[in-house]
């Protein structure tokens, strides 16, 4: 008998694609997708159950369907739709609590995979260059997504203590980018003019959506308990990222960036909250040694390649690579041709 | 000389040249002083494509096809000068127009033609008087001369072999503009560090401070090592000079460990990361050393650079000896380094602790020149610098777990501190005076 996997958060693009991908893999019997709103795209073989993870109904679903693996993908940075910060917190923290409570009562449960985020490390000027899994945030985040992720991970650790028979894998993923996915980072880089924090050039890491799905599948199908950082190799600086997609950066003080961020949130253009402004100021890097050695996953895209793939999917900005190359040829030709 | 060319004499009867026409000559007009202005050029030019398009829209009876738009700029310039001066143009155009798109295109051409005729007519009538901007020096330099000037300038800058070097420079600019360069995981940008930061420091080191290095052979050519140095000089110039000396003599980049304040300050933090610095914490130090980097640390920290001039060359407390534990864990040698000369560049004679606390900085320096002379006070005094790299202190033959033995760590810390202090004294003896 194959595995029965329950995937939360399938109304979002990443969750839906992961559920579909998992349903295709040979070791999996059934995939049950759960979310409050139905997914917009094709679900393939996945059976969708419309349920709220904040509701005890989810416990009944888990028990009745003999679910042995729960993949929790509902810890999200932005709702991407209606609902403010409070709703987001409700979904992330209370949702995880309820889901874990349901899991605790499930006799058939063997595996739990949590999609977490490197936002749990926060971002400050006292951060080490590369965070390893054993480190904590230099400053315990007091609000926002970072705090929610930290709380979620706390609940997950508590669950792991109470149910030692369940294998728990927590994947701390770097900012996911890719041609299809929409995250706060991709909306940020899709702005025609990119507001940056003046005088700072944060180091950033990205994870391609392909590798996000791949690592989640790897965690689901293999016996690799633990907490792992998942990110593409290498880092790129903010200035590099802005130049590579050929968009003009607009340096401004940090407070102005957060003001613009909240204005844009109201206009539904982009969403960058306070901790994201901290990230845009100080950046963050995570060490991925454990991802290769103990977790055993090799991402296909490096940070730079992931970003390039994302960049290729959007319309290039006014200072695109082709234009710069063209300008270079004109100048070189003009100066070279004038000789003699 | 039967078939010699007829050489025209005079102005071939153009009006206004004493040929009996009604208009005075150009020189005569100039003598008369400021004439009435002709239609301003700029606004007319920008407004020009609009009326033509508008009439097209009106007559076509539906939104103009996209294809019409590019024809706008094709209208000769002459039309632009008189677009407003020839309202009659629009009427025949409107009459001619047909609803079809291709006709719309044709008719814009027609409009252009009519307009240009009108322009020729009116320009003959309303000829602009010569103005002073016609005599502007740049007006007369043709493009080819500009090119020649640029060519000789690049020859001047890049030398005889300028063409490949110019191409290289352009490629470099392109790489920077498109972000096509590599930084390591701490943010070191070798291109910028090599071509700009170190290059800018080099003349200061050679001409102003006349830095002399000793014992450069003690810096290992490869593998991790920890350079431990004294810290002084109000502004951490000594770190920059040490890094430059090491880079110029061995080709290795010194990776400085900086205080968290460095990464809090705007611009400074960006430059520090680009220059290869990272935060002074055991995680980063051990990671860098394990990665085979040459790491620089100044254990005195702000106590060292912010100490008063009267305490010059007296080493302050060496922190908690964290650098020794890091070196022991990584098993890399410690190179005690002594810098003489940095103490005198900005002699710190005073401090405003209350203001410093208010601003959240460790100290507000008062030197004989700063802040009295304003920005001039930022000039460092030209002291003579000596940098000595001492013999490496090995840490790889200690037992496992000795990095957590506080007594051993204190002993090694003390040994490093004593070595640097003694070397400082001997270097001071060798230096004839502060400035030579």
């Amino acid at each position: 008998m194959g595995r029965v996997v329950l995937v939360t958060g399938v109304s979002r693009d990443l969750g839906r694609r992961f559920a579909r991908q998992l349903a295709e893999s040979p070791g999996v019997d059934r995939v049950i997708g759960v979310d409050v709103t139905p997914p917009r795209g094709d679900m393939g073989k996945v059976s969708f159950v419309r349920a709220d993870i904040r509701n005890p109904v989810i416990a009944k679903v888990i028990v009745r369907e003999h679910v042995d693996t729960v993949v929790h993908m509902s810890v999200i940075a932005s709702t991407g739709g209606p609902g403010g910060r409070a709703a987001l917190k409700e979904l992330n923290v209370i949702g995880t609590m309820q889901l874990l409570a349901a899991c605790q009562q499930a006799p058939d449960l063997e595996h739990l995979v949590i999609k977490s985020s490197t936002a749990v490390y926060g971002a400050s000027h006292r951060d080490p260059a590369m965070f390893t899994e054993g480190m904590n945030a230099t400053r315990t985040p007091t609000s926002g997504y970072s705090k929610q992720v930290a709380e979620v991970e706390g609940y997950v650790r508590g669950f792991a203590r109470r149910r030692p028979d369940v294998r728990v894998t927590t994947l701390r993923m770097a900012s996911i980018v890719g041609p299809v996915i929409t995250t706060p980072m991709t909306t940020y880089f899709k702005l025609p003019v990119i507001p940056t924090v003046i005088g700072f050039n944060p180091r950033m890491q990205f994870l391609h959506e392909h590798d996000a799905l791949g690592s989640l599948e790897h965690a689901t199908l293999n016996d690799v308990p633990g907490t792992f950082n998942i990110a593409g190799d290498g880092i790129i600086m903010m200035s590099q990222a802005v130049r590579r997609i050929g968009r003009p950066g607009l340096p401004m003080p940090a407070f102005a960036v957060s003001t613009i961020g909240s204005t844009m949130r109201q206009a539904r253009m982009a969403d960058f909250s306070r901790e994201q402004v901290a990230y845009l100021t100080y950046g963050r890097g995570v060490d991925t040694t454990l991802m290769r050695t103990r977790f055993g996953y090799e991402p296909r895209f490096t940070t730079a390649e992931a970003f390039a793939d994302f960049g290729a999917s959007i319309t290039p900005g006014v200072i695109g690579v082709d234009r710069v190359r063209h300008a270079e040829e004109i100048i070189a030709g003009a100066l070279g041709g004038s000789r003699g | 000389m039967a078939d010699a060319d007829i050489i025209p004499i005079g102005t071939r009867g153009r009006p206004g040249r004493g040929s009996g026409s009604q208009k005075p000559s150009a020189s005569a007009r100039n003598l008369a002083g400021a004439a009435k202005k002709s239609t301003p050029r700029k606004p007319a030019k920008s407004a020009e494509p609009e009326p033509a398009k508008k009439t097209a829209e009106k007559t076509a009876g539906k939104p103009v096809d996209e294809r019409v738009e590019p024809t706008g700029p094709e209208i000769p310039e002459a039309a632009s000068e008189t677009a407003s001066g020839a309202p009659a143009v629009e009427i025949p155009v409107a009459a001619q127009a047909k609803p079809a798109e291709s006709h719309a295109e044709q008719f814009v051409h027609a409009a252009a033609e009519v307009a240009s005729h009108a322009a020729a007519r009116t320009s003959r009538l309303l000829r602009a008087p010569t103005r002073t901007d016609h005599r502007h020096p740049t007006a007369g330099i043709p493009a080819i001369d500009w090119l020649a000037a640029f060519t000789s300038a690049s020859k001047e800058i890049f030398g005889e072999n300028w063409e490949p070097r110019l191409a290289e420079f352009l490629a470099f600019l392109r790489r920077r503009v498109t972000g096509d360069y590599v930084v390591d995981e701490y943010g070191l940008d070798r291109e910028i560090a090599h071509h700009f930061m170190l290059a800018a420091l080099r003349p200061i080191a050679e001409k102003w401070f006349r830095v002399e290095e000793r014992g450069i052979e003690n810096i290992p050519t490869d593998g991790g090592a920890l350079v431990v140095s004294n810290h002084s000089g109000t502004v951490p110039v000594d770190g920059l000079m040490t890094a430059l000396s090491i880079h110029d003599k061995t080709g290795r980049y010194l990776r400085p460990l900086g205080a968290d304040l460095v990464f809090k300050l705007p611009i400074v933090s960006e430059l520090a990361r680009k220059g290869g610095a990272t935060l002074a914490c055991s995680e980063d130090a051990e990671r860098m050393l394990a990665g085979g980097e040459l790491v620089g640390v100044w254990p005195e920290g702000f106590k060292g650079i912010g100490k008063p001039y009267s305490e010059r060359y007296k080493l302050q407390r060496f922190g908690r000896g964290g650098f020794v534990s890091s070196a022991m864990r990584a098993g890399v040698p410690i190179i005690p380094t002594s810098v003489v000369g940095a103490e005198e560049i900005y002699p710190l004679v005073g401090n405003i602790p209350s203001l410093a606390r208010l601003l959240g900085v460790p100290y507000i320096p008062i030197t004989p020149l700063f802040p009295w002379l304003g920005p001039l006070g930022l000039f460092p005094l030209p002291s003579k610098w000596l940098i000595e790299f001492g013999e490496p202190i090995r840490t790889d033959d200690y037992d496992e777990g000795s990095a957590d033995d506080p007594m051993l760590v204190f002993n090694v810390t003390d040994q490093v501190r004593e070595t640097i202090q003694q070397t400082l004294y001997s270097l001071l003896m060798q230096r004839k005076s502060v400035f030579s």
Side-chain angles (χ1 to χ4, degrees):
Chain A
M1 186 194 140
R3 311 254 304 260
V4 181
V5 184
L6 182 125
V7 181
T8 66
V10 288
S11 72
R12 297 172 67 84
D13 181 62
L14 197 70
R16 179 180 63 81
R17 280 162 69 194
F18 172 68
R20 268 196 71 179
Q21 186 178 326
L22 200 63
E24 301 294 324
S25 63
V28 176
D29 233 25
R30 271 194 81 190
V31 176
I32 304 160
V34 178
D35 212 323
V36 185
T37 49
R40 277 187 287 267
D42 180 19
M43 288 285 279
K45 290 199 289 181
V46 179
S47 37
F48 175 71
V49 174
R50 187 166 181 167
D52 193 341
I53 54 170
R54 290 164 287 182
N55 194 301
V57 170
I58 195 78
K60 286 181 190 156
V61 173
I62 292 174
V63 173
R64 200 185 56 218
E65 303 284 346
H66 302 289
V67 170
D68 59 22
T69 307
V70 170
V71 182
H72 183 32
M73 294 180 67
S74 256
V75 185
I76 51 177
S78 76
T79 50
R85 296 273 151 75
L88 193 64
K89 182 183 175 187
E90 175 90 5
L91 178 67
N92 285 343
V93 180
I94 310 297
T96 307
M97 256 178 97
Q98 300 278 2
L99 179 71
L100 292 178
C103 288
Q104 201 170 329
Q105 304 300 325
D108 299 324
L109 191 73
E110 292 166 18
H111 312 281
L112 174 68
V113 179
I114 306 280
K115 175 191 161 286
S116 179
S117 159
T118 55
V120 72
Y121 297 118
S124 86
H125 62 275
R126 289 193 189 151
D127 286 350
M130 296 308 237
F131 279 101
T132 57
E133 285 82 350
M135 296 178 195
N136 292 316
T138 320
R139 281 190 185 155
T140 316
T142 51
S143 67
Y145 182 54
S146 298
K147 191 188 180 199
Q148 291 165 18
V149 174
E151 284 179 356
V152 163
E153 287 205 1
Y155 292 134
V156 171
R157 277 193 296 274
F159 173 82
R161 273 196 300 277
R162 290 191 294 274
R163 282 289 301 267
D165 57 315
V166 174
R167 165 180 67 80
V168 178
T169 310
T170 308
L171 301 183
R172 291 179 179 160
M173 297 193 175
S175 313
I176 303 173
V177 295
V180 182
I181 194 172
T182 302
T183 64
M185 253 358 216
T186 58
T187 41
Y188 173 73
F189 281 112
K190 277 177 189 166
L191 294 175
V193 175
I194 298 173
T196 60
V197 181
I198 195 163
F200 289 94
N201 200 353
R203 298 166 308 124
M204 299 188 292
Q205 266 178 327
F206 294 112
L207 179 68
H208 194 272
E209 54 188 47
H210 167 89
D211 290 322
L213 296 173
S215 58
L216 277 167
E217 188 175 2
H218 182 83
T220 311
L221 300 179
N222 295 282
D223 183 24
V224 277
T227 302
F228 304 100
N229 294 333
I230 309 287
D233 280 343
I235 61 148
I236 63 175
M237 312 290 279
M238 170 62 89
S239 58
Q240 273 181 301
V242 168
R243 290 173 198 177
R244 282 184 189 190
I245 52 172
R247 301 195 174 209
L250 181 63
M252 53 175 76
F255 63 85
V257 176
S258 28
T259 313
I260 285 191
S262 50
T263 315
M264 282 185 175
R265 191 164 65 87
Q266 275 155 8
R268 300 272 159 75
M269 280 169 72
D271 184 6
F272 35 106
S273 46
R274 214 174 65 192
E275 74 268 8
Q276 207 184 343
V277 173
Y279 177 66
L280 297 178
T281 310
Y282 302 111
R284 185 192 307 129
V286 296
D287 178 85
T288 53
T289 317
L290 275 187
M291 173 184 77
R292 283 163 211 287
T293 54
R294 210 182 312 153
F295 184 60
Y297 183 75
E298 186 74 34
R300 206 175 79 187
F301 293 84
T302 65
T303 287
E305 286 164 1
F307 195 73
D309 195 36
F310 162 68
S313 71
I314 59 172
T315 46
V318 286
I319 329 169
V321 179
D322 296 337
R323 286 195 191 172
V324 174
R325 201 176 280 278
H326 190 60
E328 183 198 358
E329 277 163 15
I330 288 177
I331 296 173
L335 290 183
S338 69
R339 147 191 52 111
Chain B
M1 298 286 280
D3 49 348
D5 292 344
I6 298 163
I7 300 164
I9 299 170
T11 59
R12 296 197 188 180
R14 268 179 60 212
R17 281 273 172 187
S19 56
S21 136
Q22 64 271 46
K23 287 205 69 171
S25 73
S27 44
R29 266 183 280 129
N30 281 351
L31 280 173
K36 72 164 185 206
K37 284 211 165 176
S38 67
T39 33
R41 276 162 171 252
K42 279 280 162 60
K45 201 178 272 182
S46 60
E48 167 269 311
E50 281 301 311
K53 252 198 300 178
K54 262 188 202 141
T55 47
E57 253 176 55
K58 237 183 280 165
T59 50
K62 59 179 173 182
V64 174
D65 191 287
E66 285 287 306
R67 278 187 295 155
V68 176
E69 269 179 50
T71 60
E74 279 177 29
I75 296 170
E77 284 235 323
S80 70
E81 286 175 20
T82 53
S84 56
V89 171
E90 288 184 22
I91 299 154
V93 161
Q96 274 178 17
K98 295 268 151 60
E101 287 161 11
S102 56
H103 280 244
E105 212 171 302
Q106 270 182 4
F107 118 80
V108 172
H109 278 294
E113 235 170 277
V114 176
S116 69
H117 280 300
R121 252 197 336 266
T122 44
S123 72
R124 236 174 283 138
L125 293 173
L126 309 164
R127 194 148 167 204
T130 310
R131 285 175 310 205
T132 45
D133 58 329
H134 291 157
R135 293 190 223 115
H136 195 268
T138 53
I141 302 179
I144 195 81
D145 288 7
W146 279 115
L147 273 182
F150 277 126
T151 314
S152 63
S154 34
K155 235 178 233 164
E156 199 69 32
I157 296 167
F158 296 112
E160 263 317 296
N161 199 16
W162 64 276
E163 254 183 294
R165 295 188 63 182
L166 177 72
E168 249 171 57
F169 179 68
L170 286 175
F172 168 76
L173 277 188
R174 193 229 320 135
R175 278 202 307 279
R176 300 307 303 187
V177 171
T178 57
D180 185 18
Y181 50 90
V182 183
V183 295
D184 79 351
E185 60 183 22
Y186 306 97
L188 168 65
D189 187 339
R190 281 171 201 272
E191 240 173 21
I192 287 288
H194 183 80
H195 292 294
F196 291 94
M197 296 187 183
L198 293 177
L201 289 174
R202 204 161 284 127
I204 302 175
E206 284 170 4
K207 300 285 178 342
W208 195 254
F209 295 135
R210 295 144 289 145
V211 177
E212 265 179 44
E213 302 88 5
R214 285 148 202 214
I216 197 78
E217 67 281 356
N218 289 323
I219 303 282
T221 47
D222 58 339
L226 187 64
V227 173
V228 181
S229 171
N230 61 320
H231 213 11
S232 56
T234 309
V235 178
V237 182
D238 49 355
L240 302 177
M241 292 298 145
T242 312
L244 179 72
S245 297
I246 290 175
H247 179 262
D248 285 359
K249 295 291 186 293
T250 67
R252 295 193 71 179
Y253 282 94
L254 182 72
R255 312 297 302 265
L257 299 183
D260 58 350
L261 179 68
V262 169
F263 300 97
K264 193 182 178 183
L265 298 173
I267 301 166
V268 177
S269 78
E270 187 177 352
L271 290 176
R273 282 271 175 217
K274 284 215 173 213
T278 192
L279 184 74
C281 61
S282 56
E283 293 92 352
D284 279 12
E286 279 156 37
R287 192 182 174 82
M288 270 193 173
L289 289 171
E293 300 280 359
L294 187 64
V295 180
V297 66
W298 291 264
E300 291 174 272
F302 290 115
K303 295 190 299 297
I305 52 172
K307 66 177 180 288
Y309 186 62
S310 55
E311 287 179 37
R312 60 192 179 278
Y313 300 116
K314 281 187 197 135
L315 284 187
Q316 304 294 301
R317 189 166 62 84
F318 259 25
R320 285 165 285 183
F323 69 96
V324 174
S325 322
S326 293
M328 279 180 172
R329 288 212 182 87
V332 298
I334 295 173
I335 300 152
T337 304
S338 318
V339 180
V340 160
E343 294 275 16
E344 291 92 0
I345 57 170
Y346 299 110
L348 189 90
V349 292
N351 186 5
I352 317 170
S354 48
L355 183 60
R357 257 199 306 282
L358 193 69
L359 294 178
V361 293
Y363 54 89
I364 298 279
I366 293 179
T367 73
L369 303 181
F370 183 86
W372 324 117
L373 296 185
L376 268 183
L378 296 176
F379 271 92
L381 299 181
S383 53
K384 168 76 181 170
W385 284 45
L386 300 170
I387 301 180
E388 178 159 338
F389 301 100
E391 262 182 48
I393 298 169
R394 285 182 58 186
T395 61
D396 50 352
D397 46 2
Y398 291 108
D399 302 329
E400 192 78 16
S402 51
D404 301 317
D405 177 358
M407 210 54 229
L408 184 65
V409 169
F410 282 142
N411 278 341
V412 178
T413 309
D414 217 40
Q415 185 190 347
V416 175
R417 192 171 175 275
E418 275 309 302
T419 314
I420 295 173
Q421 184 71 76
Q422 293 310 318
T423 319
L424 279 178
Y425 287 144
S426 72
L427 283 177
L428 281 171
M429 301 273 279
Q430 292 168 35
R431 195 169 65 157
K432 284 194 247 31
S433 85
V434 171
F435 297 113
S436 66

